[in-house]
Amino acid sequence: MNDIHAVGSKAAALGRPTTGRWKNRLGLFLALVIGVAVGRYVLHDQAEGQLAQFKAQFEQAVTQGQTDLSAAQAKADLLSGQLAVEKSTRTGLEATLQKTQDDLARARDQLAFYDQLLPVGPKGTISVRAFEVRLQGATLRYRVLLMRNTSGDAPFRGQMQFMATGVLRGKPVQIRLEPAQADAAHASAGKSAAEGEFALKFDEFARSQGLLALPDGFVPETVTLSILEGKTLRASSSAKVAPAD
């Protein structure tokens, strides 16, 4: 009996230290769990802070990218506008150059034409530079351009004379043509219509036009213009009769 009591007392003495160790272990475990929980809470807060920071940086980068894109687009539009202006300017310059070249070509043609019009021959020479006749109803319309190689001399005074060749009543004839309309002023002065209508007085250039009467039934073919100074022939030119317009 005493032995049993002794054993129980010994066992109780041995059991008390064991219970204390478990309590210590349990306290350590609880502290560890609490530490982990607190750590996770702290890490969660830090992660949220970092995420918010990253989000703000990302939004700032996106905003800056949009700003840069807008600036690049504006620059591209500006360059495109400048290119269009340069293209328009180049097109305008090319058109101006072409027009200048065309004007120069026309000027050269006119210069060549006027070179042909320059009187040739000795001083005082009369030349017929242009002469044409055209049917106009029962008359002939004529146009004449005369030039004289002179400088500072007295004006040339003379007469025009028109001779037509053609057919009258089936026969070839040559007829001197008279003005289609009489000049009342010259007629009242005792001069013929031809003397008044065909009289010439000019220094270097003379242009004349008018109507020539045609006899009934006469079909003109060519007309010869003679420039007379008194009875001296100074120039002549022939032209075929052109049909009416």
Side-chain angles (χ1 to χ4, degrees), residues 127 130 144-148 200-208:
S127 58
V144 179
L145 173 62
L146 303 175
M147 296 187 71
R148 178 182 178 221
L200 293 172
K201 180 183 178 181
F202 67 96
D203 291 321
E204 296 183 41
F205 300 92
R207 289 184 297 179
S208 179

Side-chain angles (χ1 to χ4, degrees), residues 6-21:
V7 171
S9 299
K10 187 178 181 179
L14 292 173
R16 283 194 292 270
T18 302
T19 303
R21 286 195 299 269

Side-chain angles (χ1 to χ4, degrees), residues 61-150:
V62 170
T63 302
Q64 184 63 39
Q66 291 177 344
T67 302
D68 294 342
L69 179 61
S70 299
Q73 183 64 45
K75 186 175 181 180
D77 293 341
L78 176 62
L79 293 176
S80 178
Q82 291 177 347
L83 180 61
V85 171
E86 291 177 358
K87 183 178 180 181
S88 176
T89 302
R90 184 182 66 182
T91 302
L93 291 176
E94 290 176 351
T96 301
L97 177 60
Q98 184 63 45
K99 183 178 182 302
T100 302
Q101 290 175 343
D102 293 342
D103 292 342
L104 180 60
R106 283 193 294 268
R108 287 174 177 171
D109 291 341
Q110 291 177 353
L111 180 60
F113 173 74
Y114 288 125
D115 284 341
Q116 294 177 353
L117 291 180
L118 289 177
V120 295
K123 186 176 181 180
T125 300
I126 303 296
S127 58
V128 181
R129 290 301 182 178
F131 174 50
E132 66 175 26
V133 286
R134 182 179 297 274
L135 281 172
Q136 182 172 317
T139 62
L140 286 178
R141 175 169 290 279
Y142 71 88
R143 292 196 300 178
V144 179
L145 173 62
L146 303 175
M147 296 187 71
R148 178 182 178 221
N149 186 2
T150 184

